[in-house]
Amino acid sequence: MEKDKELQGNEVIEQQIEAFLKNRTEEQLSMLLSSIRAQMNAGASFVVAIEAEVGSMNVKEVTLKDGRNVGLVFTSFEEQMKGAKVMSTFMVGIRQLFEATMANNSSDGLLLNAYGKAFLLDRTFIRIILG
């Protein structure tokens, strides 16, 4: 299946997440965040799980064991399909998504690829990526 143009290149982020999870060093973290920034600057998108309500759409949030509320986002539709639940999704530009997350004071960040090799983009990481 051919990837949507806005998702092309996100496989680099998936590879960097996997490398970071195998070797949790500052260098690997820096490479991961840099790959996300590069995709953001290239105009790439993430697949965002949404909850549709009358007149609005919101990022679907989950509560982590530590009590933080985070939105569910994915690098590709394939990553989103790894989950057991069927959910509505929408593609959103990475920069736009990050800016909206930072403006939402009730959100603690974004959980990237929740059903595979997941990475938590907390507000600090999002701030670093945005620059």
Side-chain angles (χ1 to χ4, degrees):
M1 180 162 77
E2 190 172 318
K3 285 193 180 221
D4 289 272
K5 187 175 87 169
E6 297 87 359
L7 300 175
Q8 290 178 358
N10 283 356
E11 59 276 357
V12 173
I13 296 171
E14 295 166 12
Q15 294 163 359
Q16 290 298 328
I17 291 171
E18 187 169 357
F20 174 73
L21 294 175
K22 286 180 181 175
N23 186 18
R24 294 174 184 253
T25 64
E26 287 185 23
E27 182 181 353
Q28 284 298 148
L29 177 60
S30 177
M31 291 171 57
L32 170 55
L33 298 180
S34 293
S35 70
I36 296 170
R37 177 183 281 162
Q39 279 298 96
M40 177 185 74
N41 289 337
S45 295
F46 281 151
V47 177
V48 178
I50 59 167
E51 294 178 319
E53 298 174 13
V54 177
S56 70
M57 285 190 299
N58 298 306
V59 175
K60 179 174 179 54
E61 288 194 339
V62 295
T63 302
L64 302 176
K65 290 179 184 177
D66 63 7
R68 291 184 287 176
N69 293 316
V70 295
L72 293 179
V73 298
F74 306 91
T75 51
S76 66
F77 287 106
E78 291 80 15
E79 284 294 325
Q80 181 263 319
M81 294 301 290
K82 289 180 180 179
K85 296 180 181 178
V86 175
M87 64 181 74
S88 298
T89 58
F90 199 78
M91 283 194 324
V92 178
I94 295 172
R95 180 178 301 278
Q96 178 185 358
L97 175 63
F98 286 175
E99 289 172 348
T101 300
M102 294 305 290
N104 179 357
N105 291 327
S106 69
S107 177
D108 295 307
L110 301 166
L111 186 57
L112 185 57
N113 293 345
Y115 306 123
K117 294 190 172 27
F119 182 74
L120 178 61
L121 284 163
D122 64 16
R123 295 176 75 82
T124 300
F125 290 152
I126 293 171
R127 198 174 299 113
I128 288 169
I129 294 167
L130 285 170

